[in-house]
Amino acid sequence: MGLGYIGLPTAALIASKKIRVHGVDVNAHVVNTINKGKIHIVEPDLDGLVHYGVQQGYLVAAAQPKKADVFLVAVPTPFKGDHEPDTAFVEKATMMAIPFLREGNLFILESTSPVGTTEKLAKLIFKERPDLKGKISIAYCPERVLPGSVIHELQQNDRVIGGIDSKSTDAAISFYSKFVKGELHKTNARTAEMCKLTENAYRDVNIAFANELSIICDKAGIQVNELIELASKHPRVKILKPGPGVGGHCIAVDPWFIVADFKSEARMIKQARLTNIYKREWVIGKIKMAADDFKKKNKRAAVIACMGLAYKPDIDDLRESPALEIVLDLKKLKYREIFLSAM
Ligand SMILES: NC(=O)c1ccc[n+]([C@@H]2O[C@H](COP(=O)([O-])OP(=O)(O)OC[C@H]3O[C@@H](n4cnc5c(N)ncnc54)[C@H](O)[C@@H]3O)[C@@H](O)[C@H]2O)c1
């Protein structure tokens, strides 16, 4: 359920193992495109896999679920209001699946979710279907793929799998072993949920360190890239590259799921988010200063060229992209002309 950046490659990979997949999406364009053997997102090697699955009859897309052995949910988990996790899509997808669940089924949540979500979904399922108590398996298994390399990583990466009980964990391990070559690590649902959030918060904190360094170095008249290269000669130091902020649907979003639930405890995780958001404003300030200097010297407004709108190279994903935010802010400042280049 959910045929986006995660759900579609997963569905196509499973179908390529000659397992029948009934892919569900609420977006009719997504369903129609896939049923033509085509794809609606940019991801290397995905088109061939989807084309093969549809042509061979192993992959079918539809607007509604049907009876199946395994249900796998990969719908969005954005934030709402003041960075509070929004699990409405996950709950809606679960409600859509509930009438089709049968004894012996395995229900898996893959969407990045706040700690406790899988247990909440289990409660929801058993409230609606008390007949299934103890008769189905429910597990959480987060995704950790790199956009642009999803098909390769889906198969090769290790996976962390946590059920609501050990029977559920074992059932999910057995399912993933059909198409994942990486190691499958057993845990419980809460630890698996926290594991995904931890991975992205770790990346965010480390990027924030590099971003803060770049601001300090600018003030100190030091080349930050040279400094990082030199400091990383220390055998136990590895500093990431600074940039204009952090983008994408994961690293820029998931740490907030920890902050929302652990407001007093998650101080550094919150500060990393704020530092990475501030870096964008700092870059805008720098561009503005350079443009104003240009105008003073040349008696005409500067033309600003912005190259690369996605949050990293060679992908088409604009979600939470700091580059896009920078361009939109520059537009508000009414510079004479801004050139854009998407990739
Ligand atoms: N994109 C990534 O690189 C990545 C990596 C790891 C984890 N995740 C997580 O995976 C989840 C999915 O992310 P994504 O990037 O694939 O999102 P996406 O927006 O690309 O795709 C989600 C799809 O779900 C569909 N959908 C929404 N509600 C539905 C419902 N009730 N039933 C069926 N389909 C429904 C949408 O129409 C959309 O096509 C999120 O929780 C995200 O945080 C994403």
Side-chain angles (χ1 to χ4, degrees):
M1 305 196 60
L3 297 171
Y5 285 96
I6 293 302
L8 182 57
T10 304
L13 179 65
I14 298 171
S16 76
K17 308 290 176 199
K18 302 197 189 301
I19 297 170
R20 282 185 294 136
V21 179
H22 178 83
V24 178
D25 204 291
V26 290
N27 182 332
H29 168 69
V30 170
V31 171
N32 294 336
T33 309
I34 295 167
N35 283 335
K36 285 182 198 144
K38 297 196 170 134
I39 57 175
H40 61 290
I41 51 176
V42 175
E43 180 58 42
D45 305 326
L46 180 62
D47 49 352
L49 213 58
V50 168
H51 184 75
Y52 172 83
V54 172
Q55 202 186 34
Q56 298 291 311
Y58 286 107
L59 177 61
V60 174
Q64 282 297 325
K66 66 176 200 176
K67 284 183 181 164
D69 297 308
V70 180
F71 289 78
L72 193 156
V73 175
V75 297
T77 39
F79 48 57
K80 58 182 180 186
D82 185 15
H83 302 108
E84 301 288 327
D86 181 359
T87 54
F89 292 93
V90 166
E91 282 152 26
K92 166 106 190 292
T94 306
M95 286 303 283
M96 281 168 69
I98 284 174
F100 300 94
L101 290 173
R102 290 174 302 177
E103 185 174 345
N105 277 173
L106 168 61
F107 182 92
I108 299 169
L109 177 63
E110 278 208 8
S111 301
T112 305
S113 302
V115 174
T117 306
T118 312
E119 289 169 353
K120 263 192 211 153
L121 296 184
K123 264 194 197 148
L124 184 66
I125 292 171
F126 297 136
K127 185 172 158 249
E128 298 291 319
R129 295 284 306 276
D131 57 306
L132 293 176
K133 249 192 174 161
K135 298 199 172 133
I136 62 167
S137 300
I138 300 176
Y140 183 74
C141 178
E143 190 44 71
R144 39 164 67 138
V145 291
L146 177 72
S149 185
V150 170
I151 302 298
H152 171 76
E153 293 213 353
L154 263 181
Q155 300 181 81
Q156 302 300 335
N157 288 354
D158 284 12
R159 299 291 288 261
V160 173
I161 298 173
I164 54 161
D165 49 35
S166 59
K167 178 178 77 86
S168 297
T169 310
D170 290 343
I173 295 260
S174 156
F175 171 65
Y176 281 97
S177 66
K178 294 183 198 309
F179 61 97
V180 174
K181 293 181 190 145
E183 250 184 83
L184 304 174
H185 303 272
K186 281 188 193 185
T187 183
N188 56 44
R190 294 176 76 82
T191 309
E193 288 162 344
M194 188 62 182
C195 188
K196 172 67 188 171
L197 303 181
T198 300
E199 291 163 22
N200 285 339
Y202 172 86
R203 302 271 301 148
D204 201 41
V205 166
N206 281 283
I207 299 168
F209 181 77
N211 279 338
E212 189 165 289
L213 262 187
S214 72
I215 296 173
I216 293 169
C217 283
D218 185 74
K219 200 166 186 181
I222 293 168
Q223 286 290 335
V224 71
N225 291 331
E226 186 196 353
L227 172 86
I228 289 176
E229 203 184 314
L230 293 173
S232 299
K233 300 284 179 205
H234 183 295
R236 285 166 296 282
V237 172
K238 176 88 189 80
I239 303 169
L240 299 181
K241 276 191 194 153
V246 171
H249 188 46
C250 291
I251 302 179
V253 175
D254 304 348
W256 287 121
F257 291 10
I258 302 179
V259 175
D261 284 341
F262 304 93
K263 285 195 173 63
S264 351
E265 295 83 7
R267 295 175 197 206
M268 186 169 64
I269 294 171
K270 181 176 182 185
Q271 188 51 50
R273 274 290 63 236
L274 298 177
T275 300
N276 285 328
I277 290 170
Y278 169 68
K279 184 67 193 291
R280 184 172 77 207
E281 289 160 32
W282 184 84
V283 169
I284 294 169
K286 282 289 203 190
I287 298 171
K288 193 171 173 290
M289 254 191 308
D292 291 347
D293 274 0
F294 179 94
K295 195 172 177 185
K296 257 186 228 148
K297 277 187 204 135
N298 299 282
K299 309 275 176 271
R300 68 174 177 84
V303 175
I304 302 171
C306 301
M307 258 88 82
L309 290 183
Y311 71 96
K312 61 177 166 186
D314 303 327
I315 58 163
D316 76 329
D317 194 346
L318 295 174
R319 290 178 291 182
E320 310 296 325
S321 171
L324 186 65
E325 293 294 325
I326 288 169
V327 167
L328 292 174
D329 271 27
L330 287 175
K331 248 183 101 183
K332 275 189 232 147
L333 294 174
K334 297 197 188 337
Y335 286 108
R336 203 187 66 170
E337 242 179 284
I338 299 178
F339 289 128
L340 300 181
S341 155
M343 282 182 144

